[in-house]
Structure formats: C-alpha cells, structure tokens
Amino acid sequence: MIRIVTLERLDPTDLAFLTGTLYRAFGVGTEHAGDRHLPADAEGKDGRVDAIRLLKDAPPVRSLPDDKVLYITSAPLSLPKGPLGEPPCWGFAEFGGERAVISTSRLPARGVTEASIETWRKRLAREAIHALGHTWDLHHCYDARCAMHPSWSQGLAERPEMELCTFCREKSERKIRLAKT
Ligand SMILES: [Zn+2]
Ligand SMILES: [Zn+2]
C-alpha cells in the first residue's frame, strides 16, 4: 500500500489523479492518509526544508511492513552538498526504505487552464513515481523518457512522461511481488 501524506492541502482532483496514476504505475493500492504538519524546526535558516531530516522527523502514519509513505510539501527542499555542490532537489527517498518526500516547489506553475493543470499533475505524478521507485530499489535510468531518469538531467523533456520504462517497471514489479510473499 502507498500512503500519501500531504503537508499542505492539495486540491482533491489533483490527489485523485495522483493516487490513480500511482496505482497504475506500481499495481499497488494507494490512498491519501490525510494532511499533517511539517515537523517543527524542519525549516532551515534559508527557508528551505532539509529533506533527510524531514523524512526522519515526519509525522508517522499508520502503516504495515512493506507499505510506502509519500510526503508531499510545497516547501523547497535542500540536500547535503556533494562533490559537485548541492544537487537540485525535487524529492528525496530512503533507498529501499519506507519513506519518500517530494516538493511541488520546482514544478511548473499549475496555472488555471486545463492544459497547464494537466502538465502540473503529470509532473507531480512523475516525481512521485520517481521517489517511490527509489524506495523499491530502482536506480536512476538512462532512458530520458523513464520516470527514473534524474529530474536534474539536461536530457529531460520540458514535459516529461510519467511512466516507467519496461526495465524499471519489471524491476519494481519483481520487488513488489517479493515483498508480498
Ligand atoms: Zn532520483
Ligand atoms: Zn527506466
């Protein structure tokens, strides 16, 4: 089961699109576990939220072993600096773990037209699939059309697809099947 926790209210139609898309992507039941507050002092001095700390301190939700919990925040996220500086952060996941977080702060503006809202929803779903994919042990994928292609990649389309490539999909299916038995 995938449990979505919103750290700010999300439009119910956006949520419905997201739960349906995640269910189709992983074949795993997906539900909204409700709204929660950002953990106190998760916010750093620069107004961004430390992604690793957020996952560590995030309000718990009732979950069973093998459940995944996806937090969604509008706050910009920060990550520790790597050898190439700080990587831009759309989201962060515990690799092979339970929790992931994505931020809407780097998404294109949602706007008010049907087209802009659809673009926004698809991008949100892509980042959700990407982050959850890491919790099922998926690595980054070279296929620029795959949801596991890095979000910071130069090769990413302006409106990237939200599906997994066959390789990543089959790998996640194997992992999910194993978890069920
Ligand atoms: Zn990634
Ligand atoms: Zn892939």
Side-chain angles (χ1 to χ4, degrees), residues 19-144:
T19 50
T21 306
L22 291 176
Y23 173 70
R24 281 190 300 279
F26 295 110
V28 170
T30 304
E31 66 161 31
H32 182 216
D35 296 315
R36 299 283 194 287
H37 290 290
L38 253 185
D41 32 284
E43 206 173 304
K45 285 191 211 87
D46 59 1
R48 299 187 303 160
V49 170
D50 180 326
I52 295 171
R53 190 140 154 214
L54 186 152
L55 284 192
K56 205 159 82 40
D57 299 343
V61 291
R62 273 172 66 108
S63 61
L64 299 167
D66 301 323
D67 279 357
K68 304 296 181 187
V69 182
L70 175 71
Y71 295 90
I72 304 179
T73 179
S74 61
L77 299 172
S78 64
L79 283 174
K81 275 197 180 68
L84 301 172
E86 188 187 322
C89 185
W90 278 259
F92 178 74
E94 295 169 348
F95 190 83
E98 184 200 48
R99 293 177 163 193
V101 58
I102 56 171
S103 168
T104 56
S105 68
R106 282 180 178 271
L107 267 42
R110 187 171 176 276
V112 290
T113 69
E114 229 172 87
S116 70
I117 291 173
E118 168 153 333
T119 300
W120 187 86
R121 282 181 183 159
K122 284 186 160 174
R123 189 61 203 262
L124 179 72
R126 181 192 183 277
E127 297 313 319
I129 291 169
H130 184 107
L132 287 164
H134 284 317
T135 69
W136 274 300
D137 293 358
L138 294 186
H139 294 279
H140 283 158
C141 180
Y142 287 111
D143 185 345

Side-chain angles (χ1 to χ4, degrees), residues 141-143 146-149 164-168:
C141 180
Y142 287 111
D143 185 345
C146 174
M148 292 314 292
H149 194 66
L164 294 170
C165 72
T166 313
F167 174 83
C168 291

